Amino acid sequence: MKTIFSAVLVSAFAATAFAQTTAPTAAPAAAAPAAVVPVAPTAPKVEEKKAPAATPATAPAAGDVTTGKAAWYGKKFNGRKTASGQRFNAGLLTAASNTLPFGTLVKVTNLKNKKSVTVRINDRGPKQADRIIDVTRAAAARLGMLKSGIVDVELKVVGNAKRGTKMMTKKAKKA
């Protein structure tokens, strides 16, 4: 930007000097027109892309364990696209996590009654800062948390689901 402005200033100065030297000496010199300084074109606006939902720098290793609060979400989201692009189905054993990569298999254990279920991460959430995972209604039923809604859980990374495996499409038995 500085070099463009300098070049415009130099050319304006040269044009003024040339006009003064070529003007006839007998006629009074008219005021030189003000130099028009072109405005440098601004760079086109580039739309900023939203950063993908929080994902860890490295994939969690099998056996990684963490504890926190879990909640469940259900039928009102059926058919909507999840953050992974899959359609939400409250009858599948899936979950939402802000830190685990899509496809991660996690064993969720209710610390109060020791019931557990393995779920696949296919969505982002929970939105509440005090929670570490949101599970589907089917997973919540297996954990025995439908009435309470929120429970203390332990998460243990089991591995990664492979595309097309039974784990990705397995429906839960009615509880």
Side-chain angles (χ1 to χ4, degrees):
M1 181 73 176
K2 190 175 180 181
T3 57
I4 293 172
F5 181 74
S6 300
V8 169
L9 188 60
V10 169
S11 62
F13 177 74
T16 305
F18 178 77
Q20 289 176 351
T21 58
T22 59
T25 55
V36 178
V37 180
V39 178
T42 58
K45 289 186 179 181
V46 178
E47 289 185 32
E48 292 183 26
K49 293 183 179 178
K50 287 185 179 180
T55 54
T58 59
D64 285 355
V65 176
T66 187
T67 58
K69 294 194 179 294
W72 66 272
Y73 62 126
K75 292 182 180 181
K76 91 175 198 182
F77 296 102
N78 267 339
R80 295 185 190 180
K81 280 192 175 182
T82 63
S84 67
Q86 298 170 348
R87 296 281 178 191
F88 177 77
N89 183 337
L92 296 179
L93 299 176
T94 60
S97 170
N98 284 323
T99 57
L100 296 169
F102 296 138
T104 303
L105 296 176
V106 182
K107 181 179 180 183
V108 182
T109 304
N110 182 337
L111 294 177
K112 188 173 183 179
N113 62 18
K114 303 300 181 203
K115 291 183 178 182
S116 64
V117 65
T118 300
V119 296
R120 179 180 43 86
I121 303 299
N122 74 337
D123 203 359
R124 291 291 171 231
K127 305 280 189 215
Q128 293 75 14
D130 65 331
R131 300 184 195 156
I132 59 171
I133 196 167
D134 281 342
V135 298
T136 59
R137 185 183 194 291
R142 289 207 183 172
L143 291 169
M145 61 179 279
L146 286 176
K147 287 184 181 177
S148 59
I150 300 172
V151 295
D152 290 319
V153 294
E154 176 186 85
L155 305 182
K156 182 177 182 181
V157 175
V158 178
N160 288 322
K162 295 180 182 168
R163 280 187 100 32
T165 62
K166 284 186 178 181
M167 184 63 203
M168 292 189 70
T169 57
K170 185 177 181 180
K171 284 196 175 185
K173 292 179 183 175
K174 296 212 179 210

